[in-house]
Amino acid sequence: MTCQELLDLLHDYVGNELVIESRTTVEVHISGCLQCGTLVHAYTHTVRVARALPKCNPLPAAFEARLRAMIEPELKDKPAE
Amino acid sequence: MFDPPPEKLTPEIVFREYAPRIYNIARRMLGNDADAEDVTQDVLLQVVRKLDTFRGDSQIATWLHRVTVNAALAHRQKRANRQKHESAEADDDVLGSGGPVTPGKRWEVGPEESVLAAEQAAIIEKAIEQLPEPFRDVYVLADVEGLPNNEIGEMLGLSLAAVKSRLHRARLRMRDLLAPHFEGKVTS
Ligand SMILES: [Zn+2]
């Protein structure tokens, strides 16, 4: 396996989508190629930090107030059953 | 992803639970506060007015993602037209072919980043803003929101192969953008 071939498989490797044979080939290459080992490490980390970003940072306070005022009529129209 | 709502949906719950999530997706896709606020307002009104049609299960989660993405794309298109700017055409060559890559040094990172330091989160958000839009959309939905590639393809009108390819190149670009901050630094 060449470094370019490894690069082409990286998305599927990190997503656990490779069949076992391809997975093994990738792992053998990584164990013998410092450059690809470093790449895989950084790529994996890139994926992990994105998943760790907060999904619901609070709204900016001024916007939250405006938004609440805007849906206020809807709140009255639809009382909880 | 949007978690299933805990109780019967009311406008108040939608406001509390979902407005921030809608806002965060729109903010990351559009890259500025004002546009994200417009989109959040649009989507929230749509949701509140359609509440009766939801059974309060995970049905709403899929729907919310789709409506938010549609609203963000429409908003971007409107802005592009208004400014007679070059529109957000999906130019797959923007980020090159995905290789060869620069070697780089080994990243020194902690074993677990379930909680990111605020400083790190800011660096990552800034890098996301620098991704070209077609790549940013896929990246935000796949790697930040954690949506499956096939759902993203449906939302953006892309084949599965195109989603994978853009995601892969977005990740490589993110790696480049983050490298100066993570290479050889101990952050744990
Ligand atoms: Zn290699």
Side-chain angles (χ1 to χ4, degrees), chain B residues 11-23:
Chain B
E12 177 61 29
I13 291 172
V14 169
F15 179 77
R16 270 203 329 261
E17 303 283 323
Y18 293 125
R21 286 158 181 247
I22 296 166
Y23 179 82

Side-chain angles (χ1 to χ4, degrees), chain A residues 1-4 6 29 33-37:
Chain A
M1 162 173 270
T2 66
C3 297
Q4 181 61 46
L6 180 134
H29 179 96
C33 176
L34 183 62
Q35 182 178 321
C36 286

Side-chain angles (χ1 to χ4, degrees), chain B:
Chain B
M1 285 217 221
F2 292 106
D3 299 322
E7 45 201 312
K8 186 184 178 336
L9 286 170
T10 63
E12 177 61 29
I13 291 172
V14 169
F15 179 77
R16 270 203 329 261
E17 303 283 323
Y18 293 125
R21 286 158 181 247
I22 296 166
Y23 179 82
N24 277 264
I25 296 173
R27 177 67 183 75
R28 289 183 176 121
M29 281 179 68
L30 296 170
N32 76 80
D33 296 342
D35 289 344
E37 291 181 5
D38 287 350
V39 165
T40 306
Q41 186 169 316
D42 273 12
V43 174
L44 196 66
L45 268 186
Q46 287 187 59
V47 180
V48 166
R49 285 173 185 162
K50 280 199 168 177
L51 266 192
D52 296 343
T53 67
F54 293 111
R55 287 264 161 256
D57 56 11
S58 62
Q59 190 192 13
I60 195 172
T62 311
W63 189 83
L64 266 179
H65 268 117
R66 187 158 299 157
V67 173
T68 302
V69 168
N70 282 343
L73 294 176
H75 195 81
R76 187 189 284 158
Q77 191 62 50
K78 225 164 50 187
R79 188 184 57 192
N81 290 344
R82 205 167 47 228
Q83 297 173 346
K84 294 222 169 205
H85 218 239
E86 61 274 40
S87 70
E89 277 295 307
D91 181 354
D92 276 317
D93 287 333
V94 175
L95 292 186
S97 63
V101 292
T102 46
K105 294 189 212 112
R106 192 161 181 86
W107 287 14
E108 300 292 340
V109 292
E112 185 52 66
E113 299 89 13
S114 56
V115 179
L116 286 174
E119 186 194 348
Q120 278 188 324
I123 289 167
I124 298 159
E125 299 278 11
K126 197 150 188 223
I128 293 174
E129 281 180 29
Q130 291 177 57
L131 292 175
E133 284 169 351
F135 296 89
R136 196 197 306 153
D137 294 344
V138 171
Y139 185 79
V140 167
L141 296 173
D143 279 1
V144 182
E145 289 295 317
L147 295 180
N149 287 346
N150 59 343
E151 256 178 57
I152 296 169
E154 281 173 32
M155 285 183 199
L156 298 177
L158 295 171
S159 69
L160 186 58
V163 172
K164 277 190 183 189
S165 155
R166 284 191 197 180
L167 178 58
H168 179 57
R169 281 183 277 164
R171 286 169 172 177
L172 290 174
R173 181 78 188 120
M174 284 295 289
R175 183 201 70 128
D176 290 343
L177 291 165
L178 297 179
H181 303 280
F182 289 110
E183 272 177 2
K185 267 184 214 158
V186 179
T187 57
S188 55

